[in-house]
Amino acid sequence: FIGGSGRQYLALPFYAPLVVLIWAGLRFGPGGASAALTIAAFAAIGGVDRGGGPFIAPSPEDNVFALQIFVLFTSVSVLCLATIATARQNVVHLHRALLTSLQDHVAILDASGVVLEVNESWRHFSESSEAALFHRVRVGESYVPVHLAAAEQGVLPAAEVLAGVTDVLNRNRRRFQLEYDHKAPGKHESFITTIEALERPDGGAVVIRTNVTARHLAQLEVEKQQRQLSHLARVSV
């Protein structure tokens, strides 16, 4: 390297491969970053051998020292970045897989009640024509105004869920649960809505809605059979 402003100018070629190295680390993880670093290191060694690129110092020792510094700092930085990016991607994939695997309807709210994310069960149910209006909250919409509008129309479950989600968002309680029936033309369904406080500094809540219609029907069938058995026992006596 030469002194003065020329030193800064000749250092610029060192940053040329960083864009490709960072992209490889973010896209392919530590394995892709290692492969890209290997290629960059061989290219740099070739530059030192030919005395080209940024390696134009008067003595070979200075060029080798510059190569060592370049490989050391570039490798550590890019590999650390790739490791962190891969860990973050794994967490995101695990989070999405968990939401997708749940059969219950799950929605994540921020501190103001806006829906940040929902799972596939929630999305499919909210898009169906059989769902109640206060069940059709989608990503980006606020959970509170929809239930407030339904409560003003006299829908009792919406009013109770509204009170519960408000308490959880305000941290007046950690958990709220409500079991209710929803009657539609030609259809009668039962739901359990559970609202849990979201453990993060910004606040929020997790809404879990479970359709327990089949459970209720099975329970009614068991009770019916028990009544029939009791009646037969009385007749036998």
Side-chain angles (χ1 to χ4, degrees):
F1 291 92
I2 58 176
S5 60
R7 177 187 298 271
Q8 300 176 1
Y9 173 78
L10 292 176
L12 291 178
F14 279 107
Y15 298 94
L18 281 181
V19 177
V20 177
L21 295 175
I22 292 175
W23 172 83
L26 296 177
R27 179 64 177 83
F28 302 104
S34 299
L37 284 169
T38 302
I39 296 174
F42 276 110
I45 292 173
V48 171
D49 183 60
R50 295 189 304 269
F55 306 101
I56 56 175
S59 63
E61 291 79 6
D62 293 337
N63 286 328
V64 172
F65 179 73
L67 172 63
Q68 293 173 342
I69 295 298
F70 166 74
V71 173
L72 174 63
F73 285 100
T74 303
S75 301
V76 172
S77 303
V78 173
L79 288 177
C80 289
L81 180 62
T83 302
I84 295 173
T86 301
R88 182 179 180 276
Q89 291 176 358
N90 292 337
V91 172
V92 172
H93 292 161
L94 179 61
H95 168 74
R96 292 178 178 175
L98 178 62
L99 286 180
T100 304
S101 302
L102 294 175
Q103 297 300 317
D104 295 337
H105 312 154
V106 181
I108 301 176
L109 314 181
D110 65 5
S112 62
V114 176
V115 179
L116 298 176
E117 189 172 358
V118 298
N119 66 344
E120 290 298 323
S121 298
W122 182 291
R123 182 176 293 105
H124 291 328
F125 185 75
S126 63
E127 294 175 353
S128 65
S129 58
E130 301 176 353
L133 293 178
F134 64 93
H135 285 168
R136 300 181 184 180
V137 186
R138 302 180 181 181
V139 175
E141 299 178 351
S142 181
Y143 192 79
V144 175
V146 175
H147 285 71
L148 178 60
E152 292 176 348
Q153 296 176 1
V155 181
L156 183 59
E160 296 180 355
V161 172
L162 174 63
V165 71
T166 302
D167 287 343
V168 173
L169 290 176
N170 294 333
R171 291 300 189 261
N172 295 328
R173 65 169 76 179
R174 306 293 300 178
R175 189 174 189 271
F176 168 82
Q177 189 173 72
L178 174 68
E179 182 173 352
Y180 59 93
D181 294 333
H182 173 66
K183 296 181 180 180
K187 197 169 187 179
H188 184 187
E189 294 182 314
S190 300
F191 295 93
I192 295 179
T193 294
T194 305
I195 303 175
E196 301 272 2
L198 183 62
E199 296 296 339
R200 70 170 190 169
D202 297 337
V206 179
V207 181
I208 304 173
R209 188 172 57 227
T210 307
N211 191 326
V212 294
T213 305
R215 185 193 309 173
H216 279 194
L217 293 177
Q219 183 178 356
L220 292 175
E221 183 65 24
V222 170
E223 293 176 354
K224 179 181 178 180
Q225 293 178 0
Q226 288 177 346
R227 288 194 300 268
Q228 292 176 347
L229 289 174
S230 300
H231 175 69
L232 292 175
R234 289 194 300 269
V235 171
S236 299
V237 173

